[in-house]
Amino acid sequence: MKCILALKALYEKRESAMKLGLFFYKFKKRILSMTQDRQPEITSECMQLLRLISEHYVGVFSAMEYVFLFQFVYAAYRPMATAAGELICKRLLAPPPHEGFFGQEPPDEFDRNLQNMKTLIDFYLQGEFHRHVPYLVDGLWEAAPALVRNWECMTALLLEPRGGRQALTSQQERVLIEILVAAVRQAAEGRPPAGRRLGKKAAREVDGTRRWREHANMSRHFVKVLPRLLSKFAADKEKVTPLLQIPQYCNLDVYDMDGLGSYLDAALLELDCLVQRHSDVAVLEACARTYGTYCDEGGSAHFQAAPARSRLVDMLVDALTPLLDVFIQHEKQGLFLGHGEMGRICSTLRRLAAFYSAHDLSSWNLYEKMDSLLTFRRHQGSLPTEVVHCALQCTYYALLWQIVAATDRLPPQEALLDLRKRLMKFCLVCRVYLNHQSKVLSEKAFILLCDLLLILSHQGPEEDTGLGLLFFVPDHVLQCKLLTFVREHVFLEETGATGPSRVYSEEDADELYELFHRRNMLAVFCKLIVCNVLEMSAAADIYQFYLKHYHHFGDIIKETMTRTRQNDRLRNALSLLLCLQQLFQKHVDTYGLGYDPIEFICGPFYSIRLLARRFALTLGFDRARDAAHLIHRRGLAFAFSESPVPEELEARQRFPNLSFLLVLAEFSCKIPPAERQAALAHFQDSIPEGVPVFGEGDTNPMFVYRKSLMRTDYVAQGEEEPAANPFDAICKDCKRPQELPVGTCSTWTPDTLASSSTGDREPRNSSKGQKSNRDVFDVDFLSSEDSENSSNEDVDVEGISVHEGVSD
């Protein structure tokens, strides 16, 4: 840092910078490599130094080196991204040095901004960088405010007629809309996107009056142009969906203050046309949320938007009612409706479900209509998957709005009993659909059932509000059904290449969506465990897949371990032990009672040891002794449990779980050294009579476990000091190296770059004489997250929503 700051001071002056040319060319590669330093403050200062160097020397960096530097605009550290944004402005967006020659007038500022915006769009499209527009906008927020906050320039490009002089291609329009929406969001919220970290010296807050004035000017501009934007891109769902987010970031009071009511009527008319034109769920939900923004009570747009919304819902309900009546009559008579009528039923239900998610439609009595559909499905015949899917969704929303109404104003006990009856009936319907042959319906029923159980479990039986009648927790049978569903639908056998080195392309969109859906189902199930809706022992079946599916679900499972440990350390320890016991029992049932030393260091049994080592690290350092003692006591009882076999059989068959001591030895490190002698004495007292003695030295599980408990400063006379790892001696005897996963740490955070060319880039520490980074999944090199009682995990289980994707 001192060297970089000293060089910055020299390169800031033209006369001193011209004398450092030879120095820079000698250390050019070294300075470029420092942009990937572990300390983010060093990387940002280094990027500023490289920007100064590029200003003084012509052709100092090649095109590939500039591409390498430009990619840091997507970095997770905001000062680094801002410095890269400044470099982009200097090299890509700066005006040409010679303008107006041969008598031509130089272009005005507006035309220059139009050209710079096109250049920025092409930079995003042509660069093989991380496809995350909000990060790009935030990186240029301070470096190019006249570009990313120029609402007139962006909307003028979007509203340019087809074939015009400044017209964009369809792909360019899509990118520009994403840039526009990201800039509007940041201008309204005043903070960088999620996942981007601020520096230690964060920029001072903009003056409140100035920020309010900028927000008012932005709102005034967009309430005028939004109807025209919606009208132009009404046919393209990929473009109109993000545009519908703009009203929630605007100050809608400008409709009254500036007399812009006519623009509100035009926007509502366009919304009505979009709802009738599109049947895509994303567009319909965006329209419903926009109506919710306009219909917000207390807002200036409420008195115009609420009647428009009511008229639209009336039209949808009036269209659905006769269709449902005709459909039920036909089904009872053994007749079938045509594809056209069924299509209209599905599209109308889809629109009502989207509006029900954002608006209370209880006054239209949709619950009775949806309940009749679900009841007809169970007792009469089958319905199309789409119809049942929308009926489940509408029924779920109807029940949620009724719970909200009961919470706001406590109804009579009869009404609560009727609501409880409806809730139990819906839970039964979802429970039936868990085994449906349609994957879409079964997964939808699972998610709705888990969410509803989470809500009902918080209405305690002794609630002061009187909502104890709604309290409900699943019984043992339902818990088993949910757990079986997770095992069968989430933890599937992976095909093809997996792991952190896997680079997904656009052709893998379906696979990524499927993975997101599976992560979502696991998250909603783990929330039930964390919130004590399900028994904590149910987590044992989930923990079994921690290592096998680490790359896809490891963050969710790890967060579940952390939350359950915070709730109850001892019960969490018992769930970890139960998981290991179940895996050990499966191993014994599959491979028998083998005591081959090779099996102790590799193969299926080694994976159980490896998982136990990870579990031991999740216990943390502070307040882990009680959990460790509990695991050892219960583990010893399991290891020395006798099997009811005839006496003439071998002694080792009487104690089939004796090899579990090898797994239990992984938790010895969590017992304080001062208490290991007591633990060793307890171990000696726990050994029953008739325990077989097989093997010598480190091939004996009892000997290995005893050595793991021995203190290094206490060694019996005539005995050598035990190794740090009891299994090192076994590895030495069998002359076989441990089979551990090998890999390299990625030099990027998940929020930086994820291009397809990353795998071809040379590793950072590949030079001779330097240690290469060990893989974070290597058992001999564990990260600080695993070795500490950390609460800052990668993924918040409660924060994962149904309609959003990975970040993250």
Side-chain angles (χ1 to χ4, degrees), residues 44 88 184 189 267 791:
S44 60
I88 291 175
V184 169
E189 297 180 353
S791 60

Side-chain angles (χ1 to χ4, degrees), residues 677-736:
Q677 280 301 110
L680 186 59
H682 175 73
F683 166 65
Q684 298 291 349
D685 297 339
S686 301
I687 300 177
E689 296 182 1
V691 173
V693 179
F694 55 93
E696 296 180 357
D698 292 320
T699 61
N700 188 344
M702 295 177 59
F703 180 72
V704 171
Y705 180 74
R706 185 172 64 86
K707 287 177 64 175
S708 68
L709 289 175
M710 291 176 61
R711 294 178 54 185
T712 56
D713 57 349
Y714 175 82
V715 181
Q717 188 175 3
E719 232 179 27
E720 62 179 10
E721 185 175 346
N725 186 348
F727 300 94
D728 290 343
I730 304 178
C731 299
K732 184 178 180 181
D733 292 340
C734 67
K735 306 296 184 183
R736 180 170 178 174

Side-chain angles (χ1 to χ4, degrees), residues 417-688:
L417 289 174
D418 183 64
L419 178 57
R420 176 180 174 84
K421 182 179 178 181
R422 292 182 176 184
L423 291 169
M424 298 304 102
K425 185 178 181 180
F426 182 73
C427 290
L428 178 62
V429 170
C430 292
R431 182 172 174 175
V432 171
Y433 276 104
L434 287 179
N435 300 324
H436 197 272
Q437 59 183 358
S438 173
K439 183 181 177 182
V440 175
L441 286 183
S442 61
E443 292 179 352
K444 189 64 177 179
F446 174 80
I447 293 176
L448 295 180
L449 180 58
C450 290
D451 285 343
L452 192 60
L453 290 176
L454 185 63
I455 295 172
L456 298 181
S457 66
H458 284 68
Q459 311 297 336
E462 297 180 359
E463 285 282 344
D464 296 336
T465 58
L467 297 178
L469 289 174
L470 303 182
F471 176 74
F472 175 74
V473 292
D475 55 11
H476 181 70
V477 177
L478 182 55
Q479 292 187 35
C480 293
K481 280 183 172 291
L482 294 176
L483 189 57
T484 302
F485 184 90
V486 172
R487 283 199 297 259
E488 295 177 354
H489 291 77
V490 175
F491 300 108
L492 306 177
E493 292 295 333
E494 303 296 338
T495 58
T498 58
S501 59
R502 169 76 181 275
V503 177
Y504 290 94
S505 60
E506 295 183 358
E507 290 76 13
D508 301 325
D510 295 337
E511 184 179 350
L512 284 172
Y513 178 78
E514 178 67 21
L515 175 59
F516 154 73
H517 209 60
R518 290 160 55 196
R519 284 174 56 86
N520 185 51
M521 290 189 292
L522 178 61
V524 297
F525 180 79
C526 290
K527 281 193 292 185
L528 297 180
I529 299 174
V530 170
C531 298
N532 296 321
V533 180
L534 301 180
E535 298 175 1
M536 196 175 293
S537 59
D541 294 78
I542 303 299
Y543 296 160
Q544 295 179 13
F545 304 95
Y546 181 52
L547 291 183
K548 186 177 181 180
H549 296 270
Y550 187 90
H551 304 303
H552 290 162
F553 309 107
D555 51 355
I556 301 177
I557 300 177
K558 185 177 179 181
E559 180 71 10
T560 305
M561 294 181 187
T562 302
R563 299 294 186 90
T564 53
R565 185 179 69 245
Q566 294 172 355
N567 294 340
D568 193 326
R569 286 181 173 272
L570 298 183
R571 291 174 59 197
N572 172 68
L574 290 179
S575 65
L576 298 178
L577 180 62
L578 178 61
C579 172
L580 296 174
Q581 291 174 350
Q582 292 174 351
L583 288 176
F584 178 82
Q585 194 62 47
K586 291 180 182 178
H587 179 268
V588 172
D589 296 340
T590 305
Y591 299 97
L593 299 176
Y595 294 97
D596 186 2
I598 299 299
E599 288 293 327
F600 295 162
I601 59 174
C602 62
F605 188 80
Y606 175 74
S607 64
I608 303 177
R609 275 185 43 225
L610 183 59
L611 183 62
R613 192 176 302 182
R614 285 296 187 92
F615 284 171
L617 292 174
T618 62
L619 296 179
F621 285 128
D622 55 331
R623 297 183 297 169
R625 55 181 298 276
D626 294 337
H629 281 299
L630 180 61
I631 289 177
H632 279 273
R633 289 196 302 269
R634 298 291 181 89
L636 289 176
F638 175 77
F640 291 128
S641 60
E642 297 187 41
S643 178
V645 296
E647 296 182 359
E648 60 269 13
L649 295 180
E650 296 183 7
R652 68 174 57 184
Q653 295 186 5
R654 289 179 51 204
F655 299 92
N657 303 331
L658 202 58
S659 297
F660 190 76
L661 292 173
L662 298 174
V663 179
L664 201 60
E666 299 293 344
F667 293 91
S668 298
C669 60
K670 290 302 176 182
I671 297 181
E675 301 176 6
R676 292 189 183 180
Q677 280 301 110
L680 186 59
H682 175 73
F683 166 65
Q684 298 291 349
D685 297 339
S686 301
I687 300 177

Side-chain angles (χ1 to χ4, degrees), residues 62-364:
S62 64
M64 292 302 298
E65 289 171 340
Y66 272 119
V67 169
F68 170 75
L69 296 176
F70 290 162
Q71 65 188 357
F72 290 102
V73 75
Y74 299 99
Y77 188 61
R78 193 174 193 239
M80 178 66 171
T82 302
E86 294 175 354
L87 182 63
I88 291 175
C89 292
K90 293 292 183 181
R91 302 302 306 177
L92 293 181
L93 307 180
H98 303 290
E99 291 182 339
F101 54 92
F102 296 115
Q104 297 180 2
E105 295 183 1
D108 57 10
E109 184 178 358
F110 185 79
D111 291 338
R112 184 180 296 122
N113 284 331
L114 290 178
Q115 295 300 324
N116 285 339
M117 183 58 67
K118 289 184 177 181
T119 304
L120 181 62
I121 296 172
D122 293 336
F123 163 76
Y124 177 80
L125 290 174
Q126 297 174 7
E128 296 180 354
F129 303 145
H130 182 58
R131 299 294 186 182
H132 203 5
V133 171
Y135 274 37
L136 174 63
V137 172
D138 182 65
L140 298 171
W141 193 255
E142 303 295 339
L147 182 63
V148 296
R149 306 186 208 181
N150 195 333
W151 320 118
E152 292 79 6
C153 171
M154 289 187 275
T155 52
L157 278 174
L158 290 175
L159 294 174
E160 182 75 15
R162 304 289 182 184
R165 184 173 60 90
Q166 300 289 351
L168 302 175
T169 64
S170 178
Q171 191 178 21
Q172 289 176 332
E173 288 177 344
R174 179 181 56 80
V175 175
L176 180 56
I177 289 174
E178 293 183 17
I179 293 175
L180 174 64
V181 175
V184 169
R185 183 205 62 81
Q186 186 148 345
E189 297 180 353
R191 62 174 183 269
R196 175 154 282 178
R197 296 177 289 116
L198 297 175
K200 292 182 178 179
K201 298 180 180 179
R204 292 182 300 175
E205 280 288 335
V206 183
D207 181 62
T209 304
R210 176 187 170 188
R211 180 180 171 186
W212 177 86
R213 189 182 302 112
E214 291 179 352
H215 188 221
N217 293 334
M218 180 194 73
S219 304
R220 193 176 297 106
H221 171 77
F222 279 105
V223 298
K224 295 179 180 179
V225 301
L226 183 62
R228 297 167 59 192
L229 290 173
L230 296 179
S231 176
K232 180 178 180 180
F233 300 105
D236 195 331
K237 62 180 182 180
E238 293 184 357
K239 297 175 184 177
V240 76
T241 302
L243 287 174
L244 290 170
Q245 302 177 21
I246 293 179
Q248 62 181 310
Y249 300 119
C250 294
N251 181 12
L252 301 182
D253 292 337
V254 298
Y255 283 117
D256 282 348
M257 293 186 297
D258 299 341
L260 303 175
S262 60
Y263 294 100
L264 176 59
D265 294 333
L268 294 175
L269 181 60
E270 293 297 333
L271 282 177
D272 185 272
C273 295
L274 286 174
V275 172
Q276 299 184 41
R277 181 172 188 171
H278 288 274
S279 60
D280 185 75
V281 176
V283 179
L284 295 175
E285 290 181 349
C287 291
R289 287 192 293 268
T290 305
Y291 265 111
T293 302
Y294 285 134
C295 296
D296 186 21
E297 294 185 4
S300 59
H302 171 75
F303 297 102
Q304 291 177 254
R309 177 197 59 187
S310 299
R311 288 193 298 270
L312 180 59
V313 176
D314 284 336
M315 180 190 68
L316 295 175
V317 174
D318 292 342
L320 177 65
T321 302
L323 289 173
L324 288 182
D325 295 339
V326 173
F327 168 75
I328 294 177
Q329 291 178 3
H330 277 62
E331 289 292 333
K332 289 181 179 180
Q333 298 173 4
L335 304 177
F336 298 95
L337 284 181
H339 292 288
E341 289 79 1
M342 291 305 302
R344 285 196 290 272
I345 292 177
C346 292
S347 61
T348 308
L349 282 175
R350 199 180 299 118
R351 291 177 172 87
L352 287 173
F355 271 82
Y356 225 148
S357 65
H359 305 270
D360 186 5
L361 307 183
S362 301
S363 57
W364 280 271

Side-chain angles (χ1 to χ4, degrees), residues 752-794:
T752 53
L753 304 178
S755 66
S756 59
S757 61
T758 306
D760 301 331
R761 193 177 294 118
E762 185 178 352
R764 176 172 52 179
N765 292 332
S766 60
S767 59
K768 222 171 186 180
Q770 288 182 331
K771 282 187 177 182
S772 62
N773 288 333
R774 297 289 302 275
D775 187 19
V776 293
F777 310 122
D778 197 328
V779 296
D780 291 334
F781 184 81
L782 295 170
S783 62
S784 59
E785 289 183 343
D786 288 324
S787 60
E788 296 177 355
N789 180 21
S790 62
S791 60
N792 297 325
E793 301 291 346
D794 298 331

